[in-house]
Every structure is written in C-alpha cells, then in structure tokens.
C-alpha cells in the first residue's frame, strides 16, 4: 500500500518553461512534506519542504504547494533549466516518526535546451 | 565538512550469503537512517537510529538488521541474501531528532552502497 504516490514516472519540459511535479498521499497523519532531487550515482539531496500548516513555500525558482483537503502537493520549478534534469522524490513524515520518511516512486524530469 | 560516507560502494554477493554495510554520518549528527532503493519500489525506509537506539523500523523481514555505535557510525546487515535484495542501500544522517525539525533539519544522504545478489 503506497502511502505516497508520484503518478508520473517521467516529465519532459523545454528550458525556460515551468515544470510541475505532482505527489499524492493517503496518510492523514503526515505533517511534513519534502522534495528531494537525485542525480545518477549520487544520493538524494534536499530541495524544499513544507509543513502542513502552510499551503505554499517558495525558495528561489522552486515553490511547493500543499492542498491538505485533496492530500496533494506539487513542486513548481520556474524557469526550468537543463541542470534541473534529475529524478525528483516527494517524501512525507509524521510528527511522531522521527526522521522516518515515506517516499514516492520518483519522477524523472528532463529539461530540454 | 565531510558528507555521509558509505562503504563499500559496490558489492556482489550470492544467494544465501550475508552482507554488512557501513555508514559514517556527518560529524555531530546523531540520527542515522537507512533506505533501500529499487527500480520498482522507490526508496523504502528500513530503520532509524538515534543515539544508539533504534527509533523506527520499516516493514522489512528480520533478515535486515542494524546498529549504531557510540560515535554515531552505523552498520546494517542482511543475512541469507535473496535475489530481491539487490538494490541501492542509502544512509542518511541528521543532526536533529526529526519531527518538526525536519523542515529545517533535512536529512543528508550518502551516495549509497549498490548490492547485487546473484
């Protein structure tokens, strides 16, 4: 039973355009949501996060939106750059779960020059 | 500042053997988590240690075990290896205890140990 789902295994966008990566979750106990980026042969690196008390968090070109009622979050990258090409993982955690993260299956983003 | 170091980076084992993987967290980090990454299942949580105590355990069989030493270094062991254990095993460390701190105290991942079981 996948509690965090990324339904799009891949996404291709043109450089300069917006990339929108989506994530759905089922566990209402999740309070914190994070996005990680992973390049081949490297470990995931933290990108941006959001608490369930917020509906938006912005950091430079990256914005995460959270819709608690729909149990849905999305990551917007504007403008997209070729260096953003990587696998993006959505992750969630509950307040009482320490550093335990539940990850989605990942979305491979390809930004074409 | 050195990152999370995992050894070995690559290893090949045969079914039935056992394997031990090592993780050295970032200096000062007391939390170490382990994740298994496979093409079909994505990243799945194995267990987390904080100050030498296992705080959380994922849904893996008892063949998967781990421990943390007083210097925060951690090892995980897989006994009686099966073909399905072939995966990238990732270690992550954090200076913080997690929960609300996750928002600012994100996990730092190592490059992983790629295990192939033949």
């Amino acid at each position: 039973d996948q509690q965090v789902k990324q339904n799009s295994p891949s996404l291709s966008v043109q450089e300069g355009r917006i990339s929108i990566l989506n994530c759905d979750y089922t566990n209402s106990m999740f309070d914190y949501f994070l996005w990680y980026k992973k390049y081949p042969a490297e470990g995931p690196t933290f990108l941006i996060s959001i608490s369930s008390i917020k509906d938006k968090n912005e950091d430079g070109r990256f914005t995460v939106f959270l819709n608690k009622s729909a149990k849905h979050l999305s990551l917007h990258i504007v403008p997209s750059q070729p260096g953003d090409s990587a696998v993006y993982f959505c992750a969630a955690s509950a307040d009482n779960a320490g550093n335990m993260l539940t990850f989605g299956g990942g979305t491979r983003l390809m930004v074409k020059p | 500042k050195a990152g999370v170091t995992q050894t070995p980076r690559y290893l090949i084992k045969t079914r039935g053997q056992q394997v031990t993987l090592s993780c050295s967290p970032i200096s000062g980090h007391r939390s170490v988590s382990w994740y298994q990454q496979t093409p079909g299942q994505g990243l799945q949580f194995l267990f987390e240690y904080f100050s030498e105590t296992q705080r959380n355990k994922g849904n893996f069989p008892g063949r998967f075990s781990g421990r943390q030493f007083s210097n925060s270094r951690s090892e995980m062991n897989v006994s009686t290896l099966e073909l399905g254990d072939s995966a990238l095993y990732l270690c992550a460390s954090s200076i913080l205890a997690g929960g609300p701190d996750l928002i600012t105290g994100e996990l730092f991942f190592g490059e992983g140990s790629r295990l192939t079981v033949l």
Side-chain angles (χ1 to χ4, degrees):
Chain A
D1 174 34
Q2 273 191 301
Q3 297 186 60
V4 179
K5 285 186 181 179
Q6 295 175 254
N7 291 317
S8 299
S10 65
L11 173 68
S12 181
V13 300
Q14 207 65 36
E15 181 180 5
R17 306 296 289 269
I18 184 171
S19 295
I20 300 177
L21 295 90
N22 294 302
C23 178
D24 297 294
Y25 64 96
T26 57
N27 189 341
S28 57
M29 297 300 293
F30 287 146
D31 278 350
Y32 311 97
F33 304 89
L34 306 91
W35 284 92
Y36 282 81
K37 179 168 72 172
K38 187 179 186 297
Y39 293 117
E42 294 183 11
T45 54
F46 172 78
L47 200 56
I48 192 169
S49 61
I50 189 167
S51 165
S52 61
I53 62 174
K54 294 186 176 182
D55 54 18
K56 177 183 174 181
N57 188 27
E58 197 171 346
D59 184 3
R61 296 185 298 115
F62 303 92
T63 304
V64 56
F65 295 92
L66 175 62
N67 183 333
K68 276 193 71 177
S69 60
K71 292 190 173 66
H72 176 84
L73 63 155
S74 60
L75 174 68
H76 293 210
I77 306 174
V78 183
S80 300
Q81 299 173 352
D84 295 331
S85 297
V87 177
Y88 289 78
F89 290 97
C90 165
S93 175
D95 186 17
N96 62 351
N99 284 317
M100 181 175 76
L101 295 180
T102 301
F103 281 87
T107 296
R108 182 176 300 279
L109 173 66
M110 292 164 284
V111 180
K112 299 179 180 178
Chain B
K1 189 176 183 182
V4 178
T5 305
Q6 292 189 244
T7 57
R9 290 292 310 281
Y10 303 91
L11 66 165
I12 299 173
K13 294 284 188 178
T14 56
R15 279 184 302 174
Q17 287 187 310
Q18 68 92 27
V19 67
T20 299
L21 308 177
S22 178
C23 172
S24 293
I26 293 172
S27 178
H29 285 197
R30 293 165 62 193
S31 165
V32 174
S33 309
W34 288 89
Y35 291 82
Q36 180 197 63
Q37 185 185 9
T38 57
Q41 299 292 325
L43 280 92
Q44 290 189 290
F45 174 80
L46 281 156
F47 24 67
E48 184 208 358
Y49 289 87
F50 188 85
S51 295
E52 301 179 67
T53 300
Q54 186 180 87
R55 285 208 297 184
N56 289 293
K57 190 176 193 303
N59 189 25
F60 279 81
R63 300 186 296 107
F64 291 81
S65 62
R67 59 178 174 169
Q68 187 180 32
F69 303 94
S70 58
N71 62 358
S72 293
R73 190 177 71 84
S74 176
E75 289 181 347
M76 66 162 283
N77 183 277
V78 188
S79 61
T80 321
L81 284 166
E82 300 176 359
L83 296 178
D85 297 332
S86 294
L88 179 67
Y89 290 88
L90 290 160
C91 168
S93 77
S94 174
I95 197 170
L96 298 170
D101 294 332
L102 263 184
I103 298 305
T104 54
E106 70 273 15
L107 301 185
F108 294 85
F109 282 84
E111 294 180 323
S113 294
R114 183 165 296 282
L115 169 66
T116 301
V117 182
L118 301 175

